[in-house]
């Protein structure tokens, strides 16, 4: 089946630094990748949708200059949290969709970010 | 606006049956998903319904009524490992997933 990996699985960083999270589709080409954030005891919140080779579409309330998304290839998307603050501490999950109009999203295992 | 409702928390006994309901109001409908999510982990796919009726898959079944904007996930022969959050999500007209807040299921021995 379709496998999506994320790296790192967890990261601790100091306030003011930047952190990059990678999302890779291992055995398929992902035309679209999604980035979610999940705070404790809350549901998934879509942050942005990225299509290979084009700019990401950010959801309302998500700062595009703070959460930089790059989808440079059909198998890799990155999310960079710039100038991280403690309130950015969360569980970040990516998912990938194989083709336009395809209904299924395949989820990565998530990245736990803690900003101290 | 788009809205998905499911109970916040449910408790059931090991070996029993539990039904988790989900109602939705979305802009367009391209199917409804149920995902299971254990604490600290990403969601895992359980089921997908796009037509009315019941889909059975082992101990888990999922039902959909599009006219009522309603779905349920039925879990039979509950096991302790079924303790998790169950997320209902609807694929809207733009093929984006709209998520419910999730139902935390607690299984007691």
């Amino acid at each position: 089946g379709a496998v999506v990996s994320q790296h790192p699985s967890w990261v601790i960083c100091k306030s003011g630094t930047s952190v990059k999270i990678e999302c890779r589709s291992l055995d398929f080409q992902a035309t679209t990748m999604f980035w979610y954030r999940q705070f404790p005891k809350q549901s998934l919140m879509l942050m942005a949708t990225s299509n290979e080779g084009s700019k990401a579409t950010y959801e309302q309330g998500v700062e595009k200059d703070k959460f930089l998304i790059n989808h440079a290839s059909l198998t890799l998307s990155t999310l960079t949290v710039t100038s991280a603050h403690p309130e950015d501490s969360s569980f970040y999950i990516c998912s990938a969709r194989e083709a336009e109009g395809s209904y299924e999203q395949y989820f990565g295992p998530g990245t736990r970010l803690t900003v101290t | 606006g788009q809205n998905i409702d499911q109970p916040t928390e449910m408790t059931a006994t090991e070996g029993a049956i539990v039904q988790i309901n989900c109602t939705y109001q979305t802009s367009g409908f391209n199917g409804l998903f149920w995902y299971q999510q254990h604490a600290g982990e990403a969601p895992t796919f359980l089921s997908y319904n796009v037509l009315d009726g019941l889909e059975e898959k082992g101990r888990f079944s999922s039902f959909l009524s599009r006219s009522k904007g309603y779905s349920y996930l039925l879990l039979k022969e509950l096991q302790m490992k079924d303790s998790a959050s169950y997320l209902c999500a609807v694929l809207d007209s733009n093929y984006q997933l709209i998520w419910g807040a999730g139902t935390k299921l607690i299984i007691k021995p």
Side-chain angles (χ1 to χ4, degrees):
Chain A
V3 179
V4 176
S5 70
Q6 273 184 249
H7 178 81
S9 54
W10 61 269
V11 57
I12 301 173
C13 71
K14 291 188 177 181
S15 189
T17 61
S18 295
V19 173
K20 180 185 283 188
I21 302 170
E22 291 186 350
C23 176
R24 292 181 185 273
S25 56
L26 298 185
D27 51 2
F28 68 100
Q29 294 188 324
T31 56
T32 307
M33 286 186 169
F34 303 87
W35 286 97
Y36 293 89
R37 180 167 54 182
Q38 186 176 35
F39 293 106
K41 299 184 180 180
Q42 295 186 23
S43 191
L44 295 164
M45 187 188 79
L46 180 65
M47 298 176 68
T49 302
S50 74
N51 292 294
E52 185 265 338
S54 61
K55 289 185 178 180
T57 302
Y58 290 81
E59 295 300 302
Q60 195 171 13
V62 179
E63 300 173 59
K64 61 181 180 181
D65 294 330
K66 180 170 180 64
F67 298 99
L68 302 178
I69 291 172
N70 185 289
H71 192 161
S73 77
L74 285 171
T75 59
L76 173 66
S77 177
T78 60
L79 167 68
T80 301
V81 183
T82 62
S83 187
H85 288 100
E87 57 264 32
D88 298 323
S89 298
S90 187
F91 191 46
Y92 291 86
I93 308 172
C94 75
S95 69
R97 190 170 68 193
E98 191 165 8
E100 205 64 39
S102 169
Y103 65 82
E104 190 160 1
Q105 293 182 23
Y106 303 100
F107 285 86
T111 297
R112 174 78 56 195
L113 170 63
T114 302
V115 184
T116 60
Chain B
Q2 310 210 85
N3 195 49
I4 296 184
D5 287 317
Q6 49 180 133
T8 304
E9 188 174 296
M10 298 182 71
T11 303
T13 306
E14 190 177 15
I17 299 173
V18 71
Q19 177 174 311
I20 303 173
N21 296 324
C22 171
T23 57
Y24 63 89
Q25 290 177 309
T26 57
S27 56
F29 180 83
N30 280 302
L32 185 144
F33 291 83
W34 284 97
Y35 285 87
Q36 180 191 61
Q37 186 178 27
H38 285 99
E41 299 180 12
T44 55
F45 171 81
L46 289 178
S47 67
Y48 170 70
N49 294 65
V50 67
L51 298 176
D52 291 348
L54 185 69
E55 296 268 350
E56 296 187 73
K57 193 185 294 185
R59 293 189 299 115
F60 293 6
S61 302
S62 57
F63 171 84
L64 174 68
S65 168
R66 288 172 296 171
S67 62
K68 295 181 179 179
Y70 167 70
S71 173
Y72 68 73
L73 180 69
L74 190 71
L75 292 77
K76 303 177 184 176
E77 301 170 18
L78 286 170
Q79 302 175 8
M80 297 303 292
K81 66 178 182 179
D82 297 331
S83 292
S85 287
Y86 291 84
L87 308 175
C88 172
V90 171
L91 203 61
D92 71 6
S93 56
N94 294 319
Y95 286 91
Q96 279 203 0
L97 277 175
I98 310 300
W99 294 88
T103 298
K104 182 179 180 180
L105 178 63
I106 300 168
I107 310 295
K108 294 185 175 180

